[in-house]
C-alpha cells in the first residue's frame, strides 16, 4: 500500500530528515539493548511513512463499530451483531471488486477491497472491541494503535467513556495520536440537555487523558443507515477537513514522530531505571564488603575469647603441675622419686588430667563457630542475590539479561560453596591445617592424633623432660640439703617455659588458620563479585553516553515536530 507521491519540496525534505531520525532512533534502541518489540515499533514507524494513510476505528465491542463503519461507507461491508463479530483487524481500501479479501503477512490482519471513492488514498481500519471477552481482540487493537495516523474513537451514549475506554485512550495519548471522539447511539438521548451532558462528559474525560479537547461528535449509525443523521453529516465535514491533502500529510508525518517520542521516552525511563538499579547494586556490594569486614572483625574478637579460654585451661594445668611438683619433689617422697615410671604416670593423672580432651572440645567449638559464621555469611550473600530482581522498567532489556546472568553467577558461587563445602568438610580442613601446624610446632608428636591428643603427647614429653631431668640428678649417694629445693625450682621454671611456649604456639597456629580460612573466603567473594563490578563500571559509562545521545535525538525530534506542525 504505497502512499501517493508527495512532490512538495518542503515535505520531501521533512520526509528525508524524518527517515534519518527514525533510522538513528532504531540504531540507538538496538545499541541500548531495548526489548525486541520496542525496536520493531521503531522499524514499523519508519515503514509507515511509505504506507497508505491509516484511519483507525477503535472502541468497545458494544459501541456499534461495525454498523458505524458500514454507515460511514454507505454500504454493508462488515457484518453486524450484538456479540463481538470482528475477530481480526480489517483494512478496508478502495478497489474495483467488492468484498475481495486478501491475506497479509499478519495472520490476524485482512485486507478488504470495496469500490468506494471515499476510500481513495485512505485505508480505513476496523479493529476488535477493546473490552471483548476474547483477550486476543484487545491485544490486536493495542498492537495496531501505534500504526494509526488518525483515530476515530467510538463510544456509546448509553455508556459513554467507560474506564476501559479511558485506559485505551491513554494509550493513544502515549503514542501521540490525533483523535476524534465519536459518540454513537445518540438517538437514545431524548433531549438536547441530555446530549449536551453526554458531550460535556466525554469532552472532559478525553481532555483529562489527552491534555487537549478533541472534536466530539454525537451520531447515530442506525439513523444514518435508515435515511440520514445530522451528526454523521457533521462528522463527514470534520473528516473532509482532516483528510485534505495538507492535513493528511501533516498527520502522516506526525504519527511516526509521536511513535518516536514514546519510544525515546521509554528508553530514557529504562536508562534511568538501570542507573537506579546499578546504584542500588553498588550500594549492596559495598554493604557486602562492609559485612565481610565486620564478619572478619567479629571472628577475630570471638577468636580472642576462644584463645582466652584455652589460656585458662593451660593456666589451670600449670597450677596442678605446680602443686604436683611441690608435693612430689620433697624428701618425704624419696621412694616415689626413685620410681620414675610411677612418677610420670602420677603426673599424667594428677597434673595433665583431662586437659587434652578439654582442649580438643574447645578447638572443636572454635572450628564449629568459625565454620558456622562463614556459611551464614554466604547464605546471606545468596539470599540477597535471590531478592535482587530487576525492576519492571528494565525487564527484557539486554541490560537486565546481562545483569541477571552475572548475579546468577555470583549466586551460583554462593550456592556451590554452600552445596559443596559442607560444615564437616570445612571443619576437617581447618583441623587438618591446625594439626599440620602443630606437627611443626611440637616436632611431629601431633601427627594423626588430633589436636588434643597432640597436646597430650607434647605435655607428656614435657613431663618426661623435667621428671627425667630431676631424676637424673637424684641418687641415694648424692642426696643433700639443697638438691631437692634446686630441682623443684628447676622443675617450676621448666614448666612455665613449656606452658608459655605451648600457649604461644597454639595462639600462632589458631590465628594463622583463622586468617588463612578468612583469606580463602575473601578471595571467593572477590572472585565472584569482580565480574559484576566490571559490568557496573561499563554500564555506567554506556548509560552516560546514552543520556547524551538521547538528548540529541530528543532535540532533533522536537525540531521536526514543530516544523511539521507549521506545514501549510
Amino acid at each position: 500500500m504505497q502512499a501517493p507521491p508527495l512532490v512538495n519540496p518542503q515535505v520531501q525534505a521533512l520526509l528525508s530528515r524524518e527517515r534519518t531520525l527514525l533510522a538513528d532512533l532504531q540504531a540507538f534502541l538496538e545499541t541500548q539493548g531495548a526489548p525486541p518489540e520496542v525496536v520493531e515499533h521503531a522499524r514499523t514507524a519508519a515503514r509507515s511513512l511509505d504506507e497508505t494513510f491509516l484511519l483507525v476505528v477503535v472502541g468497545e465491542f458494544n459501541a456499534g463499530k461495525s454498523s458505524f463503519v458500514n454507515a460511514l461507507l454507505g454500504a454493508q461491508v462488515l457484518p453486524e451483531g450484538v456479540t463481538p463479530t470482528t475477530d481480526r483487524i480489517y483494512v478496508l481500501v478502495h478497489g474495483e471488486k467488492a468484498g475481495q479479501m486478501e491475506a497479509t503477512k499478519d495472520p490476524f490482519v485482512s485486507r478488504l477491497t470495496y469500490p468506494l471513492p471515499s476510500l481513495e488514498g485512505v485505508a480505513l481500519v476496523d479493529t476488535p472491541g477493546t473490552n471483548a471477552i476474547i483477550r486476543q481482540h484487545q491485544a490486536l487493537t493495542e498492537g495496531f494503535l501505534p500504526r494509526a495516523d488518525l483515530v476515530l474513537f467510538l463510544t456509546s451514549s448509553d455508556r459513554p467513556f467507560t474506564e476501559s475506554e479511558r485506559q485505551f485512550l491513554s494509550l493513544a495519548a502515549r503514542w501521540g495520536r490525533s483523535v476524534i471522539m465519536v459518540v454513537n447511539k445518540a438517538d437514545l438521548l431524548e433531549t438536547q440537555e441530555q446530549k449536551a451532558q453526554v458531550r460535556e462528559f466525554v469532552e472532559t474525560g478525553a481532555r483529562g487523558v489527552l491534555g487537549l479537547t478533541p472534536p466530539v461528535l454525537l451520531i447515530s449509525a442506525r439513523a444514518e443507515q435508515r435515511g440520514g443523521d445530522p451528526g454523521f453529516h457533521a462528522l463527514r465535514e470534520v473528516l473532509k477537513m482532516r483528510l485534505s491533502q495538507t492535513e493528511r500529510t501533516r498527520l502522516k508525518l506526525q504519527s511516526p514522530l509521536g511513535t518516536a517520542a514514546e519510544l525515546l521516552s521509554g528508553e530514557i525511563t529504562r536508562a534511568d531505571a538501570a542507573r537506579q538499579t546499578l546504584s542500588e547494586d553498588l550500594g549492596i556490594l559495598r554493604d557486602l564488603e562492609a559485612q565481610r569486614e565486620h564478619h572478619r572483625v567479629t571472628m577475630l574478637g570471638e577468636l580472642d575469647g576462644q584463645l582466652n579460654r584455652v589460656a585458662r585451661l593451660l593456666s589451670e594445668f600449670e597450677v596442678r603441675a605446680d602443686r604436683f611438683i611441690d608435693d612430689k619433689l620433697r624428701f618425704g617422697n624419696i621412694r616415689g622419686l626413685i620410681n620414675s615410671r610411677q612418677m610420670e604416670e602420677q603426673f599424667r593423672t594428677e597434673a595433665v588430667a583431662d586437659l587434652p580432651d578439654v582442649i580438643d572440645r574447645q578447638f572443636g567449638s572454635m572450628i564449629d563457630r568459625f565454620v558456622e559464621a562463614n556459611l551464614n555469611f554466604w547464605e546471606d550473600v545468596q539470599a540477597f542475590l535471590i531478592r535482587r530482581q530487576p525492576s519492571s522498567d528494565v525487564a527484557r532489556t539486554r541490560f537486565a539479561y546481562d545483569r541477571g546472568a552475572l548475579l546468577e553467577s555470583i549466586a551460583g558461587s554462593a550456592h556451590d560453596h554452600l552445596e559443596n563445602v559442607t560444615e564437616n568438610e570445612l571443619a576437617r580442613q581447618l583441623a587438618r591445617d591446625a594439626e599440620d601446624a602443630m606437627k611443626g610446632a611440637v616436632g611431629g608428636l601431633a601427627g594423626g592424633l588430633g589436636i588434643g591428643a597432640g597436646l597430650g603427647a607434647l605435655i607428656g614429653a614435657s613431663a618426661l623432660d623435667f621428671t627425667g631431668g630431676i631424676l637424673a640428678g637424684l641418687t641415694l649417694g648424692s642426696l643433700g640439703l639443697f638438691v631437692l629445693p634446686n630441682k623443684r625450682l628447676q622443675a617450676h621454671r621448666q614448666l612455665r617455659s613449656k606452658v608459655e611456649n605451648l600457649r604461644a604456639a597454639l595462639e600462632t597456629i589458631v590465628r594463622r588458620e583463622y586468617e588463612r580460612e578468612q583469606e580463602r573466603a575473601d578471595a571467593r567473594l572477590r572472585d565472584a563479585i569482580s565480574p559484576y563490578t566490571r559490568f557496573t563500571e561499563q554500564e555506567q559509562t554506556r548509560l552516560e553516553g546514552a543520556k547524551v545521545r538521547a538528548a540529541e535525538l530528543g532535540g532533533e525530534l522536537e525540531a521536526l515536530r514543530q516544523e511539521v506542525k507549521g506545514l501549510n
Side-chain angles (χ1 to χ4, degrees):
M1 296 184 293
Q2 295 296 315
L6 302 173
V7 295
N8 185 317
Q10 181 187 15
V11 172
Q12 292 288 8
L14 287 173
L15 270 172
S16 177
R17 288 169 56 195
E18 193 164 322
R19 286 193 177 95
T20 300
L21 173 64
L22 291 172
D24 290 345
L25 175 62
Q26 180 182 334
F28 173 68
L29 293 172
E30 290 173 341
T31 301
Q32 298 310 305
E37 68 273 13
V38 173
V39 177
E40 183 57 31
H41 278 314
R43 191 177 292 114
T44 300
R47 287 198 302 262
S48 71
L49 288 171
D50 298 317
E51 291 182 341
T52 302
F53 185 93
L54 296 183
L55 176 62
V56 179
V57 181
V58 299
E60 294 189 345
F61 80 86
N62 60 351
K65 284 193 294 80
S66 297
S67 60
F68 166 75
V69 171
N70 289 336
L72 184 64
L73 298 176
Q76 197 71 20
V77 179
L78 297 175
E80 301 178 21
V82 295
T83 58
T85 54
T86 303
D87 62 352
R88 60 182 52 241
I89 291 176
Y90 288 101
V91 181
L92 284 73
V93 297
H94 176 64
E96 296 301 323
K97 295 182 179 180
Q100 181 175 349
M101 190 80 69
E102 299 177 5
T104 67
K105 293 180 180 179
D106 190 329
F108 298 105
V109 178
S110 296
R111 188 171 182 267
L112 183 63
T113 62
Y114 210 87
L116 291 171
S118 61
L119 288 181
E120 286 192 61
V122 176
L124 180 63
V125 183
D126 183 37
T127 61
T130 61
N131 64 335
I133 296 175
I134 305 173
R135 298 300 298 173
Q136 186 184 54
H137 289 187
Q138 186 163 340
L140 286 173
T141 303
E142 293 177 359
F144 208 85
L145 186 62
R147 299 175 59 188
D149 294 308
L150 177 63
V151 175
L152 289 178
F153 198 99
L154 199 68
T155 186
S156 178
S157 66
D158 56 348
R159 295 178 67 247
F161 207 66
T162 65
E163 177 59 23
S164 67
E165 289 175 329
R166 187 197 69 77
Q167 293 176 1
F168 191 84
L169 190 61
S170 68
L171 289 176
R174 276 179 48 200
W175 292 105
R177 293 300 173 257
S178 183
V179 178
I180 297 175
M181 302 295 297
V182 180
V183 182
N184 193 17
K185 305 179 184 180
D187 54 319
L188 299 178
L189 304 173
E190 297 179 354
T191 66
Q192 291 300 319
E193 182 181 1
Q194 289 177 335
K195 291 181 180 180
Q197 288 176 346
V198 169
R199 181 191 301 276
E200 182 179 0
F201 180 77
V202 173
E203 281 183 350
T204 302
R207 182 168 56 248
V209 175
L210 298 173
L212 50 84
T213 303
V216 178
L217 296 112
L218 275 64
I219 61 100
S220 171
R222 183 170 57 180
E224 177 70 9
Q225 289 174 323
R226 292 177 178 178
D229 175 61
F232 247 97
H233 177 72
L235 174 62
R236 285 194 173 92
E237 289 300 312
V238 171
L239 287 176
K240 183 178 179 180
M241 184 272 294
R242 287 294 185 96
L243 298 179
S244 66
Q245 183 66 38
T246 300
E247 189 63 19
R248 199 186 333 166
T249 300
R250 190 194 329 274
L251 289 173
K252 192 64 177 172
L253 291 172
Q254 281 179 346
S255 295
L257 294 179
T259 299
E262 169 63 14
L263 297 179
L264 187 58
S265 173
E267 185 55 37
I268 290 172
T269 298
R270 284 187 292 275
D272 289 342
R275 272 189 287 270
Q276 179 64 27
T277 298
L278 285 177
S279 176
E280 292 171 358
D281 285 349
L282 287 173
I284 294 296
L285 291 178
R286 285 193 293 270
D287 286 345
L288 282 178
E289 181 64 22
Q291 289 175 29
R292 184 203 59 75
E293 179 60 23
H294 176 73
H295 167 70
R296 186 186 69 81
V297 172
T298 300
M299 286 295 93
L300 288 177
E302 289 193 12
L303 175 60
D304 289 336
Q306 300 275 12
L307 288 174
N308 286 337
R309 283 189 280 275
V310 172
R312 282 198 299 273
L313 292 174
L314 292 176
S315 295
E316 291 169 2
F317 159 69
E318 190 173 6
V319 170
R320 291 195 301 271
D322 278 337
R323 188 181 302 120
F324 178 87
I325 292 170
D326 290 337
D327 184 50
K328 301 301 180 183
L329 297 188
R330 56 187 178 81
F331 288 106
N333 190 37
I334 294 298
R335 187 181 299 277
L337 288 174
I338 296 174
N339 189 342
S340 61
R341 184 175 297 277
Q342 180 185 1
M343 188 175 183
E344 182 182 339
E345 287 301 322
Q346 288 175 337
F347 180 81
R348 291 186 184 278
T349 301
E350 299 176 24
V352 176
D354 61 350
L355 178 64
D357 292 336
V358 173
I359 286 187
D360 232 357
R361 288 194 297 271
Q362 185 62 41
F363 264 76
S365 174
M366 294 165 65
I367 291 171
D368 289 346
R369 175 64 190 126
F370 183 81
V371 169
E372 178 187 9
N374 262 328
L375 293 180
N376 287 341
F377 176 75
W378 277 97
E379 286 173 350
D380 290 343
V381 171
Q382 188 180 35
F384 148 71
L385 295 169
I386 292 173
R387 291 193 303 268
R388 286 296 296 161
Q389 298 300 320
S391 68
S392 58
D393 288 324
V394 297
R396 300 178 59 249
T397 61
R398 190 176 62 230
F399 166 82
Y401 293 138
D402 292 347
R403 173 181 173 274
L406 286 168
L407 288 180
E408 285 179 10
S409 175
I410 303 174
S413 296
H415 179 269
D416 290 345
H417 181 71
L418 292 169
E419 187 77 16
N420 301 325
V421 185
T422 64
E423 185 170 350
N424 288 336
E425 181 179 343
L426 276 173
R428 284 195 301 271
Q429 179 63 47
L430 196 57
R432 281 196 300 268
D433 290 346
E435 283 184 27
D436 290 343
M438 278 287 291
K439 283 190 285 188
V442 302
L445 291 172
L449 298 175
I451 295 174
L455 288 172
L458 176 63
I459 294 168
S462 301
L464 286 173
D465 283 347
F466 65 74
T467 55
I470 293 167
L471 294 174
L474 293 176
T475 63
L476 291 176
S478 62
L479 289 176
L481 184 61
F482 299 107
V483 172
L484 279 178
N486 287 338
K487 289 294 182 179
R488 190 162 53 241
L489 181 61
Q490 179 185 351
H492 281 302
R493 288 173 178 169
Q494 287 180 356
L495 175 67
R496 275 157 184 57
S497 176
K498 291 289 184 181
V499 170
E500 183 55 38
N501 290 341
L502 180 58
R503 183 185 292 112
L506 283 175
E507 181 170 350
T508 299
I509 291 166
V510 173
R511 288 192 184 280
R512 184 175 68 194
E513 295 310 311
Y514 260 51
E515 290 171 2
R516 182 181 297 173
E517 180 55 33
Q518 195 63 54
E519 286 172 2
R520 284 196 287 260
D522 292 348
R524 283 191 293 268
L525 186 61
R526 284 194 301 270
D527 291 344
I529 288 177
S530 59
Y532 187 72
T533 303
R534 290 193 297 270
F535 167 76
T536 56
E537 294 171 352
Q538 294 167 357
E539 285 300 297
Q540 284 177 322
T541 301
R542 178 186 69 81
L543 289 170
E544 285 306 310
K547 186 176 182 179
V548 173
R549 183 56 178 151
E552 293 173 351
L553 290 171
E556 295 174 24
L557 174 60
E558 184 56 30
L560 265 175
R561 295 180 86 167
Q562 292 302 319
E563 291 186 48
V564 169
K565 186 177 180 180
L567 269 177
N568 49 44

